[in-house]
Amino acid sequence: MKQQYRCHRQQRIKQQFMSRFPDNKIISLVGRAPRFDLAESVGPSVRLAELLDSAFGDGADFALDYGTAAGSPELRQEIAKDHGVDADDVVVTVGGAHALFLIAFTLCQAGDEAIVTEPVFPLPRNALAAVGATTRVLPLSFDTGYQVSLDALRNLLSPRTKVVSLASPQNPSGVAIPASTLREIVAMLADHAPQAWLVVDETYREAAYGADLAAPSAVRLGERVISVSSLSKCHGSAGLRIGWAITRDAALRQTLMTAKFSTVISCSLVDEALALAVFRQRERILGERRKLLAENLQLVENWVSRHGAFIEWVRPDAGALCCVRLKREVFDAAGIERFYATLTKFSARVAPGPWFEDDPWVFRLGFGLPALTHLAIALECVSVALVEGSADGAGV
């Protein structure tokens, strides 16, 4: 009886925790990686040695005090300069996910409505649900190129809408929302949901391809627009855990700063010093990664073209990620299982669509992490999985 009670209690506690933060196999991305990892959406990481002299120089022996609640003034100035805002508009956070949680916690109460897209990287949606907001889904579709439908968004808005959470470029598709569409959304919110804030996750914005220009930040489109980003994706510095929220509303900025102080007090001074060094070398760091992304994207595009009998894709606008779809006439449910089983056999992985509430026939392909030769080998593993997973390959 005691054992049954203990098991029942543990199950009840697990269900209670999961209701706040639902489990998702995407957590495996921060576990042990396979040999050929095409599930990730990052590029090569910056090495600590690249930053040490710039970050510390002769002043490495500084005191490990608390930082400020807003973040280092020098770091905020660098972030602001890149976004065309003032340093006082920036709150530095412990990664972009922390910024998204603080925004949800600050702006939404139980019963308020928030609009999120699907498919979506789950953390923004989970943060809103965790604070009791009712999340309404704005569907995005592979068949429409993951474009935002203004009519569909308008039908979801109400006076109870407090947050509209978007990403541009999106995760998992890498599709950007055009500036003209974002302007229309800002105007729409003013008319139909005047209490709402537009939150735009711009984590992949600067991960342009080759000589392509990065899209301008959405933060200057209106007073009720909040931009969120981090150093994790474009700058190869996920281990620093430095992100930020930018708002031109002074009252909201103060509230976010207070919320940050109440959760983590401040960011690490070491992380902030290294982040400042990243910004001071950003042209080199971004330039190297944009060249790699352009080369790898071209390889992926050629690979997709060669496998048109099995797959189709939506070409991304920026970022080290894209969505590929297995053709339904070639893959049944058992074929999808064979496809993933074959990848596992080769110690390779892609990110399944259900991680993002997308179609099981869709997967996210990350192409920024490996060098060109390694990516070519990894894609050949996927090629074999396509053959073995297909209806014709079932009897091989």
Side-chain angles (χ1 to χ4, degrees):
M1 289 293 293
K2 287 184 178 180
Q3 182 66 26
Q4 288 179 336
Y5 173 77
R6 188 179 298 112
C7 291
H8 178 71
R9 182 172 180 272
Q10 289 174 344
Q11 184 65 26
R12 190 171 69 248
I13 292 172
K14 181 179 179 182
Q15 290 175 346
Q16 177 184 352
F17 289 151
M18 288 179 64
S19 67
R20 285 290 183 94
F21 295 106
D23 196 14
N24 189 309
K25 290 183 179 179
I26 200 169
I27 199 172
S28 64
L29 290 179
V30 292
R32 183 176 179 180
R35 182 182 180 190
F36 301 110
D37 194 359
L38 301 180
E40 263 294 359
S41 62
V42 299
S45 296
V46 169
R47 306 293 298 184
L48 181 60
E50 299 176 59
L51 305 177
L52 285 177
D53 285 345
S54 177
F56 303 118
D58 295 332
D61 189 26
F62 64 84
L64 293 177
D65 297 326
Y66 285 113
T68 65
S72 155
E74 295 84 3
L75 178 57
R76 287 189 289 113
Q77 183 60 54
E78 290 291 337
I79 296 169
K81 183 169 58 177
D82 179 57
H83 289 77
V85 296
D86 295 330
D88 284 345
D89 298 328
V90 179
V91 177
V92 180
T93 57
V94 185
H98 184 219
L100 290 166
F101 180 80
L102 294 181
I103 290 166
F105 189 83
T106 297
L107 296 181
C108 291
Q109 300 181 22
D112 287 336
E113 294 180 358
I115 296 173
V116 296
T117 60
E118 281 186 4
V120 66
F121 184 66
L123 269 60
R125 178 193 59 210
N126 293 351
L128 289 161
V131 300
T134 300
T135 55
R136 308 188 72 186
V137 173
L138 175 64
L140 305 176
S141 167
F142 185 100
D143 290 322
T144 59
Y146 296 103
Q147 296 296 326
V148 171
S149 166
L150 293 173
D151 288 338
L153 175 58
R154 186 180 295 107
N155 290 335
L156 292 173
L157 294 173
S158 81
R160 298 182 67 85
T161 304
K162 292 296 179 65
V163 168
V164 174
S165 179
L166 304 176
S168 182
Q170 299 157 357
N171 185 0
S173 71
V175 172
I177 303 173
S180 58
T181 300
L182 288 170
R183 282 193 292 269
E184 290 189 62
I185 291 173
V186 170
M188 186 189 301
L189 296 187
D191 290 339
H192 299 279
Q195 299 303 309
W197 294 82
L198 175 62
V199 179
V200 185
D201 184 339
E202 300 185 309
T203 300
Y204 298 96
R205 180 178 66 86
E206 293 191 278
Y209 304 132
D212 292 353
L213 296 177
S217 174
V219 73
R220 293 180 58 81
L221 293 179
E223 295 294 331
R224 298 185 73 82
V225 178
I226 308 169
S227 169
V228 172
S229 191
S230 75
L231 293 181
S232 297
K233 308 298 184 182
C234 306
H235 301 79
S237 303
L240 291 184
R241 307 313 305 134
I242 290 291
W244 54 86
I246 303 176
T247 173
R248 294 157 69 199
D249 184 284
L252 177 59
R253 176 186 171 276
Q254 180 62 45
T255 303
L256 290 174
M257 190 169 61
T258 302
K260 176 191 171 184
F261 175 78
S262 300
T263 52
V264 298
I265 299 179
S266 70
C267 295
S268 158
L269 282 181
V270 175
D271 283 358
E272 289 191 346
L274 291 168
L276 184 59
V278 170
F279 269 97
R280 288 173 174 167
Q281 299 183 48
R282 69 183 296 277
E283 295 304 322
R284 176 188 66 82
I285 291 171
L286 290 175
E288 291 172 353
R289 279 150 185 77
R290 287 171 177 173
K291 181 177 183 292
L292 171 71
L293 287 179
E295 293 173 346
N296 286 7
L297 177 63
Q298 186 60 60
L299 180 63
V300 171
E301 187 164 14
N302 295 340
W303 176 81
V304 170
S305 179
R306 287 194 293 111
H307 294 81
F310 298 100
I311 55 175
E312 52 197 337
W313 78 324
V314 174
R315 193 182 193 279
D317 296 308
L321 69 173
C322 63
C323 280
V324 178
R325 184 166 67 180
L326 304 171
K327 290 193 170 180
R328 291 179 184 274
E329 61 269 26
V330 180
F331 296 85
D332 56 14
I336 295 174
E337 291 185 8
R338 289 194 301 273
F339 170 73
Y340 283 105
T342 304
L343 288 179
T344 300
K345 184 169 63 177
F346 286 115
S347 188
R349 70 176 174 187
V350 295
W355 284 5
F356 311 93
E357 302 298 332
D358 207 345
D359 192 306
W361 277 261
V362 174
F363 60 87
R364 186 182 78 177
L365 180 71
F367 54 85
L369 194 57
L372 196 63
T373 301
H374 193 77
L375 175 61
I377 297 171
L379 288 174
E380 288 309 307
C381 294
V382 184
S383 297
V384 176
L386 291 174
V387 174
E388 295 198 7
S390 67
D392 290 342
V396 175

